[in-house]
Amino acid sequence: MPVYVYKGRSAQGDLVQGTLEGMDSGEVANQLLNTGVTPTEIKASIGAGAAAGKGAALWKYLNQKKITPLDIMLFSRQMHTLLKAGVPIMRALAGLQESSQNPAFTAVLQDLRESLDSGRELSIALRRHPAVFSAFYVSMVQVGEMTGTLDETFMRLYSHLEFEKQMNETIRSAVRYPMFVVIAMAVAIVIINLFVIPSFVKVFEGFHTELPLVTRGLIGFSNFMVHFWPLLLALTVGAAVAFRTYTNTVDGHYNWDKLKFRIPIAGKIIFKGTLARFARSMALAFKSGIPIVQGLTVVSMVVGNEYMRVRVEQMRDGVERGESILRTAVTTGVFNPTVLQMIAVGEETGDMDGLMFEVAGMYERDVEYEVKTLSAQIEPIMIVALGILVLILALGIFLPMWDLGKAALHK
């Protein structure tokens, strides 16, 4: 029987991982759900006895079209339209399966139909595919089934996924520009030291005079790069691999996500985007009627930042002890006074979902403004850095020529 490697969250939100045997990933998901674990990732483990089929499986995996967030968005929108029109859910899934252009998602829809045929609820059927439908998505559908508002739930999920997609693209664009600037400057320094300065060294050698300190420093650094570039390349690759390995650990992921908020200029955009995602997810959970403790649990899984996830779980634990949302939010130390004031008013008036939507909208506008003005914020830093680089190069290269010119005039 195939062995599957899984990752999931316990009822308390703790990370759980291990291996299980099962006929397929759906059976493994059922086993985990029966033990109170919500799976977030299930992958087949290829053992030594499966080496023969490894190549074929890998080729199939590489050539298979992946299920994208856009597929889930369209599925949510279409389910809302069909259910609102009174189409039975089995007929709706059959129609979506026939019209799907993605074979991988077609297989998922087929499994959903088979699960419903066997008597399972839609939320249970969705939970069998943790890599496709998040815990937040499944919880929302479960509440929609319980309250009889499944069509409205799918519309809210569509809006939420659209917001997530837009926010992720915004944050990526915010980080892309400074990363491009840093990489471009690093490449320029490498090219100058490997190709430009060595050509001037031959000229300087003909002067037969002591070179200025700046010039000697440039030549020394250039010689070091020319002779030891394989070592520097190996160190760079090793550092990248070590960083990737570290950030894949629990502590490394937490520390890196915490450090992201402190990155100059881009950090505040990432932080505001994360708070916008938190606020909108909370608002949607409240509006859909998810119990507050369960809502905080599923929100912690979709905030997209490990550091923030721990803080949201800290809020959940405080609410479980009977504390107010405001008090637990203050304890986390990540929310500014404006958000805390909105939470306080929301608790007093019972309109937490409305005020959380307001907070999300406020941060969305802030992120949009920050991204639009990002180039204006980075350009002064870039100009200063380039100016210093050009000054060092100019002094190092032209000072010897200047000294040689003065010496010639005195003769």
Side-chain angles (χ1 to χ4, degrees):
M1 189 176 293
V3 177
Y4 289 85
V5 179
Y6 69 86
K7 292 182 181 179
R9 298 281 177 184
S10 65
Q12 291 74 36
D14 299 324
L15 178 65
V16 180
Q17 54 186 354
T19 59
L20 278 177
E21 291 186 352
M23 294 301 297
D24 55 23
S25 60
E27 183 178 330
V28 174
N30 285 337
Q31 294 181 47
L32 293 172
L33 292 170
N34 291 334
T35 60
V37 175
T38 301
T40 58
E41 182 180 356
I42 299 176
K43 293 182 178 179
S45 176
I46 302 177
K54 182 178 179 180
L58 179 61
W59 179 257
K60 180 180 178 181
Y61 174 78
L62 292 175
N63 285 274
Q64 184 181 25
K65 187 178 179 181
K66 303 297 186 295
I67 298 175
T68 65
L70 183 60
D71 292 321
I72 311 302
M73 285 175 58
L74 293 176
F75 168 76
S76 304
R77 180 71 188 209
Q78 291 166 340
M79 284 295 291
H80 160 73
T81 303
L82 292 169
L83 293 177
K84 188 175 181 181
V87 178
I89 189 169
M90 286 295 290
R91 260 183 63 191
L93 289 174
L96 293 180
Q97 182 182 348
E98 291 176 3
S99 62
S100 176
Q101 302 296 315
N102 188 335
F105 196 60
T106 300
V108 171
L109 293 174
Q110 176 64 29
D111 184 75
L112 294 181
R113 292 179 60 197
E114 292 174 356
S115 297
L116 292 177
D117 264 336
S118 63
R120 293 190 180 98
E121 295 179 346
L122 179 59
S123 57
I124 301 298
L126 295 174
R127 195 172 277 122
R128 287 165 53 88
H129 303 277
V132 180
F133 302 102
S134 67
F136 182 80
Y137 194 101
V138 174
S139 297
M140 289 284 293
V141 171
Q142 186 176 18
V143 171
E145 288 177 322
M146 293 168 57
T147 58
T149 57
L150 201 53
D151 56 337
E152 295 178 11
T153 299
F154 275 116
M155 189 60 197
R156 291 171 186 166
L157 284 169
Y158 169 78
S159 300
H160 177 73
L161 291 172
E162 187 178 33
F163 159 77
E164 287 284 311
K165 182 174 179 290
Q166 179 183 358
M167 190 57 59
N168 287 333
E169 291 175 352
T170 301
I171 292 176
R172 278 198 295 267
S173 65
V175 178
R176 189 181 300 123
Y177 185 51
M179 285 295 294
F180 174 78
V181 172
V182 171
I183 292 173
M185 291 187 64
V187 170
I189 291 173
V190 170
I191 292 175
I192 289 171
N193 281 281
L194 291 182
F195 302 104
V196 178
I197 293 179
S199 63
F200 279 94
V201 171
K202 298 176 182 178
V203 177
F204 295 153
E205 288 174 350
F207 290 173
H208 302 294
T209 184
E210 185 178 0
L211 299 173
L213 179 62
V214 178
T215 306
R216 295 200 304 271
L218 281 177
I219 294 174
F221 185 66
S222 175
N223 288 335
F224 177 78
M225 289 193 67
V226 169
H227 291 96
F228 295 100
W229 69 264
L231 176 62
L232 293 174
L233 180 61
L235 289 174
T236 302
V237 174
V241 172
F243 174 77
R244 185 67 180 268
T245 303
Y246 176 69
T247 53
N248 283 334
T249 64
V250 175
D251 291 339
H253 193 185
Y254 174 86
N255 291 329
W256 170 235
D257 279 356
K258 181 179 180 181
L259 184 62
K260 285 178 183 177
F261 295 152
R262 301 178 182 176
I263 298 175
I265 301 177
K268 60 183 178 181
I269 300 178
I270 299 173
F271 179 65
K272 290 178 179 180
T274 303
L275 286 183
R277 184 181 289 114
F278 162 79
R280 183 170 287 273
S281 302
M282 276 291 293
L284 197 54
F286 276 114
K287 189 174 183 67
S288 300
I290 298 178
I292 182 170
V293 174
Q294 182 185 354
L296 287 170
T297 299
V298 296
V299 166
S300 69
M301 298 179 185
V302 298
V303 289
N305 184 283
E306 188 67 14
Y307 175 72
M308 184 63 74
R309 183 191 69 78
V310 173
R311 293 296 172 267
V312 176
E313 289 182 350
Q314 182 181 336
M315 290 179 61
R316 179 205 61 199
D317 295 340
V319 172
E320 282 185 318
R321 292 192 299 266
E323 299 177 9
S324 66
I325 301 177
L326 175 61
R327 184 173 180 180
T328 59
V330 171
T331 305
T332 61
V334 296
F335 301 105
N336 61 32
T338 303
V339 177
L340 296 175
Q341 184 178 2
M342 298 289 266
I343 292 176
V345 174
E347 278 194 303
E348 291 178 5
T349 61
D351 187 27
M352 183 67 79
D353 56 334
L355 289 171
M356 284 293 98
F357 275 125
E358 289 291 333
V359 171
M362 176 184 70
Y363 278 119
E364 288 171 39
R365 290 188 292 271
D366 281 353
V367 169
E368 185 178 357
Y369 174 77
E370 293 285 356
V371 171
K372 286 181 178 178
T373 59
L374 184 63
S375 59
Q377 299 178 56
I378 291 179
E379 279 173 4
I381 300 174
M382 184 176 63
I383 291 171
V384 170
L386 288 175
I388 293 173
L389 179 62
V390 171
L391 177 63
I392 293 174
L393 290 174
L395 291 175
I397 292 174
F398 293 112
L399 269 179
M401 298 181 181
W402 176 258
D403 292 340
L404 184 63
K406 288 197 297 183
L409 289 174
H410 283 95
K411 288 181 181 179

